[in-house]
Amino acid sequence: MQPMNAPATSLQLVKTPLAWNNRFHRLGAPFFTPLAPQPLPAPYWVGQSPSAAALLGLGEHWANEPGWLQALSGNQPVSGTQPLASVYSGHQFGNWAGQLGDGRAILLGEAHGWEIQLKGSGLTPYSRMGDGRAVLRSSIREFLCSEAMHALGIPTTRALCVTGSDAPVLRETVETAAVVTRLAPSFIRFGHFEHFASRGQHGELKTLADFVIDSFYPDCRSQPLLGDNTYASWLQAVVARTAVMVAHWQAVGFCHGVMNTDNMSILGLTMDYGPFAFMDAFDPGHICNHTDRSGRYAFDQQPEIAHWNLYALAHALLPLIESPKLAEQALEAFQPLFIQTYQGLMRAKLGLGGVPEPALSSAPPEGNADGASDNPNDAKTVSTLIRDTLALLAQDRVDYTIFWRRLSHARAACDYEPVRDLFISRPAFDAWLLRYQELSSLSEQGLEANLMLKVNPKFVLRNYLGEQTIEAARQKDYSGVANVLAVLQRPYDEHPAFETLAGFPPDWASQIEISCSS
Ligand code: AMP
Ligand code: MG
């Protein structure tokens, strides 16, 4: 067997149909180290996403074309690419961690407006104590979750495929190596800006900011909305995208697990899938990362942590914004936008879209219950109902996804018994149902019920589903990867043949411990 970190023996270039345009590479030396991926012995396919392939204009059978398997496992260089590992820094668990960087990811280049990155492709100058590799387990999780989040309408990086190898990789036990091919318009993180700001490299800071603004936020230059200041307006736009992303997480019951500033996308995309979890039994304080002892990244902390991370970004951008007051103003956009988006998503989940939207400045869902009026048509009454719904789910630890799906069907069938069955405290549920029915009677029944089935997914990537898929893949059965992917890519459809993937998690699911180790 070839040693893990041996240089590529064959320099034959793989020719692809892609037209490469490597914009990040053109930023120049301070931003990265050019280097090729390290070969992975005897690679094989684990899974591919046809919808991600379509983003690159690749046809249905692209993976059968010669060269791709070797190219995307890092074994052969690809014609037109300029591979590199980028440098960034960041705050980890609230502490300044200094320089980090792409320790196991290599950006091949950019095609069709998508950066193509190999994660797990060997050592880089930023690997620190790591081995540059990723294991099959975490690679399958990232692959499936990226594509699932996209199908749920949540901003995210995408995943084209996973390739595996029998090469051993040491984690808590010996596992095997894999590479995820990820796609994003850009993989630039908050930490990239923190890196140059922390070193006083304001020229590089400006170059990077200008690149991101011109490429992805052009309106901030042509029509700066905040104090006629391009950089403050851009910060505000990043604040807005981040608020929208986290509002989606809270509504769908997604816990990221490692919201360090180096894992925060400057484009407001969910990225760096690690110990994430979709909520099974609803617990607002759920901690999905076994390593997160203090619960810094618990489910209900996520909005506040996103805001904290944006503060760190704002601090890094101050040399460009020049006005602390404008930076403050940009950050102030977070809370109202988060609340507005979150409330809108939750109203849709409840099927109360026909009831007027809450005002931008209305109280958060945790707001004062006493403020609710008796008028069922009032936005505050809806936000109080949202809060009380979550309290009821938390009290009985009701399964989050199943509750919303059953509620959608119940509304259509006018039969709430299957929802009632989920609760231990029936009187509390009955009291809630009275309020819910009073409000829902105000909106168009049939239409709303239909819409509810389009916003309350039947299928999410529960941890135990991931575990089962991974276990089969370890035995070289990759049919589960393909099936689970197909179902998660259409999470609102019924998929009668895959009913088992929509059931309650088994008892052992609550014992699953996912740490940062990946
Ligand atoms: P993460 O917690 O996955 O966001 O990673 C934090 C930092 O550690 C980043 O700089 C990663 O590139 C790096 N890193 C994580 N795992 C490894 C590994 N196995 N080898 C090298 N670097 C790694
Ligand atoms: Mg990371």
Side-chain angles (χ1 to χ4, degrees), residues 93-111:
F93 289 89
N95 301 310
W96 178 243
Q99 183 185 299
L100 302 163
D102 293 326
R104 53 173 170 171
I106 286 185
L107 178 64
L108 283 186
E110 182 186 343

Side-chain angles (χ1 to χ4, degrees), residues 266-320:
I266 201 68
L267 301 184
L269 307 172
T270 314
M271 79 185 307
D272 278 16
Y273 292 90
F276 68 83
F278 282 87
M279 200 72 79
D280 290 329
F282 186 65
D283 169 12
H286 182 66
I287 304 165
C288 64
N289 180 352
H290 186 57
T291 324
D292 180 13
R293 300 271 171 215
S294 72
R296 178 180 172 84
Y297 298 141
F299 176 72
D300 59 3
Q301 299 303 302
Q302 295 187 128
E304 202 175 308
I305 291 291
H307 200 203
W308 192 97
N309 289 341
L310 286 161
Y311 251 96
L313 177 66
H315 184 73
L317 298 181
L318 262 186
L320 306 178

Side-chain angles (χ1 to χ4, degrees), residues 88 92 100-101 103-104 127-128 130-133 171 263 272:
Y88 55 81
Q92 297 188 318
L100 302 163
R104 53 173 170 171
S127 298
R128 300 178 297 149
D131 56 8
R133 291 298 177 189
R171 294 295 180 258
N263 290 339
D272 278 16

Side-chain angles (χ1 to χ4, degrees), residues 177-293:
V179 174
V180 197
T181 301
R182 309 197 285 193
L183 310 177
S186 169
F187 285 96
I188 295 177
R189 303 143 189 272
F190 292 7
H192 279 94
F193 298 94
E194 290 180 282
H195 179 75
F196 295 106
S198 72
R199 295 175 175 220
Q201 289 179 259
H202 295 168
E204 283 79 4
L205 184 69
K206 183 172 183 311
T207 301
L208 199 61
D210 287 342
F211 171 70
V212 171
I213 291 167
D214 293 336
S215 306
F216 307 108
Y217 294 87
D219 292 352
C220 297
R221 197 180 301 286
S222 57
Q223 298 166 305
L225 294 175
L226 196 56
D228 210 21
N229 181 315
T230 296
Y231 299 105
S233 303
W234 168 53
L235 174 62
Q236 192 176 46
V238 178
V239 167
R241 285 200 197 184
T242 306
V244 168
M245 173 188 78
V246 178
H248 273 96
W249 292 0
Q250 301 309 109
V252 81
F254 175 81
C255 201
H256 181 281
V258 205
M259 291 177 69
N260 294 333
T261 57
D262 54 299
N263 290 339
M264 298 291 294
S265 151
I266 201 68
L267 301 184
L269 307 172
T270 314
M271 79 185 307
D272 278 16
Y273 292 90
F276 68 83
F278 282 87
M279 200 72 79
D280 290 329
F282 186 65
D283 169 12
H286 182 66
I287 304 165
C288 64
N289 180 352
H290 186 57
T291 324
D292 180 13
R293 300 271 171 215

